[in-house]
Amino acid sequence: FFFMTWALICMGNNYQLGGSMPRKKDKLVTAGPFHLIRHPTYAAALSISAGIFCLTQSWPLFIVFVLYFILILPLIGAEEEGLQKAYGRQYISYRQKTKKLIPYIY
């Protein structure tokens, strides 16, 4: 929850629902948790759902985690396409320096 809150605070007024194109007034956020990974809110939500599954050992909650993971991957792709269109080389450079969801791994 801390990681998601930190990411939302860093995004400030740039926050929009997933998959939305950046607005003209938005800036590329690369500080805070965005310095570690490109999608910290999605990573936090996945971690929360995996943690709840581990705590409860409820298979329906595991299915929720898997479904969320499956649904989030196309959303990330759409979001990254929009960010690249909006910020060009700046986003490409940022993308080369950071991983999608797991620091130093993926």
Side-chain angles (χ1 to χ4, degrees):
F1 289 108
F2 169 77
F3 201 64
M4 182 176 285
T5 302
W6 185 26
L8 291 171
I9 289 169
C10 288
M11 275 195 285
N13 292 330
N14 294 316
Y15 177 75
Q16 296 186 79
L17 291 176
S20 300
M21 285 289 292
R23 300 165 292 214
K24 294 214 182 278
K25 67 179 178 107
D26 292 340
K27 292 182 171 59
L28 181 62
V29 178
T30 60
F34 294 91
H35 181 72
L36 301 170
I37 55 176
R38 295 191 305 268
H39 302 281
T41 54
Y42 297 142
L46 286 167
S47 296
I48 291 166
S49 64
I52 291 171
F53 159 69
C54 290
L55 285 172
T56 62
Q57 298 180 4
S58 166
W59 288 106
L61 289 177
F62 177 73
I63 292 169
V64 167
F65 165 76
V66 171
L67 287 174
Y68 185 67
F69 187 77
I70 290 169
L71 293 172
I72 210 168
L73 291 180
L75 184 60
I76 286 173
E79 204 169 277
E80 291 200 336
E81 185 178 312
L83 289 166
Q84 186 169 335
K85 283 180 184 176
Y87 301 112
R89 297 286 303 144
Q90 182 184 11
Y91 185 73
I92 292 169
S93 175
Y94 169 65
R95 191 178 64 205
Q96 291 171 343
K97 296 175 194 170
T98 56
K99 300 295 184 183
K100 280 185 189 180
L101 291 171
I102 304 170
Y104 312 108
I105 298 172
Y106 176 74

